[in-house]
Amino acid sequence: TSMPPHNLSESIDACIAYLDNPEITIPELMHYIKAPDFPTGGTIYGYAGVKEAFETGRGRIVIRSKAEIETVDNHEVIVVTEIPYNVIKADLVRSIYELAEEKKIDGISDIKDLSNKKNGVRIEIDIKRDANASVVLNKLYKMTALQSSFNVNNIALVNGRPQLLNLKDRIHHSIDHRHKV
């Protein structure tokens, strides 16, 4: 089982909609629950994996870090403020550093982890003056966990047996369980 987290308000709204109309379709439920809500942020890259997971119970959701290119002191800096779910920030910073040291990605002059509890995640990747920050960022998405995937596998015990559940089935069985409790 690998179920992504969802926004509680959206989930409750979907449950109410199901209670009001047990014949509601999965696309109609998707008006209430748009996508998983990952606590570390990041951006879901493409919606096909989300749709597949909601419709079938299985899917692959691609998540990208939130990164912006800023100009500081006449050179560009890639600033990462959100990372994909289940990515360990220290490992991510180390992998970027190693790729730069091994010259697998050219154009990185320095990496700083300025994250703290007050302001959250902030990783600054200094770009050399002769490099293109957009090209470096795309290589980082390709070669590091700045872009990763979450594989959805919604298997739950239904009447004591494992069963793959789509979005509507999950809501149905959750409500059924609440009635029993």
Side-chain angles (χ1 to χ4, degrees):
T1 297
S2 179
M3 292 185 186
H6 292 281
N7 179 284
L8 182 59
S9 295
E10 291 177 0
S11 299
I12 290 170
D13 290 344
C15 288
I16 292 169
Y18 176 82
L19 287 169
D20 289 343
N21 176 15
E23 301 302 316
I24 193 169
T25 65
I26 293 171
E28 290 170 332
L29 285 169
M30 290 169 62
H31 288 289
Y32 299 96
I33 302 177
K34 308 285 188 225
D37 187 13
F38 296 107
T40 57
T43 303
I44 293 175
Y45 189 66
Y47 197 70
V50 172
K51 188 176 178 191
E52 182 182 6
F54 282 167
E55 291 175 348
T56 68
R58 282 205 171 110
R60 183 173 160 264
I61 301 171
V62 178
I63 310 162
R64 273 192 168 185
S65 297
K66 183 177 179 185
E68 295 180 1
I69 299 170
E70 298 178 0
T71 302
V72 179
D73 297 330
N74 296 327
H75 75 282
E76 293 178 312
V77 177
I78 298 171
V79 179
V80 178
T81 55
E82 296 177 6
I83 59 175
Y85 187 57
N86 287 339
V87 171
I88 299 169
K89 182 176 50 83
D91 292 344
L92 173 64
V93 171
R94 186 178 320 106
S95 71
I96 295 170
Y97 176 80
E98 289 170 357
L99 287 170
E101 283 293 307
E102 296 168 1
K103 304 285 188 216
K104 290 184 179 176
I105 296 181
D106 289 326
I108 297 175
S109 63
D110 194 17
I111 303 161
K112 294 175 252 177
D113 183 0
L114 304 174
S115 306
N116 58 41
K117 289 184 181 185
K118 182 179 177 186
N119 298 318
V121 173
R122 184 172 178 92
I123 302 168
E124 292 186 0
I125 304 165
D126 290 335
I127 305 301
K128 294 178 182 175
R129 293 187 196 280
D130 62 337
N132 183 323
S134 296
V135 171
V136 172
L137 181 57
N138 284 332
K139 286 182 181 179
L140 287 170
Y141 281 138
K142 184 177 179 181
M143 300 173 76
T144 69
L146 278 179
Q147 177 175 305
S148 61
S149 60
F150 184 91
N151 293 311
V152 177
N153 189 20
N154 291 328
I155 294 181
L157 291 177
V158 177
N159 299 321
R161 294 182 179 212
Q163 186 175 341
L164 184 64
L165 304 175
N166 63 32
L167 178 62
K168 185 176 177 179
D169 293 337
R170 285 175 45 205
I171 290 172
H172 167 77
H173 290 295
S174 176
I175 290 171
D176 187 48
H177 172 72
R178 295 301 301 157
H179 282 291
K180 288 177 186 173
V181 170

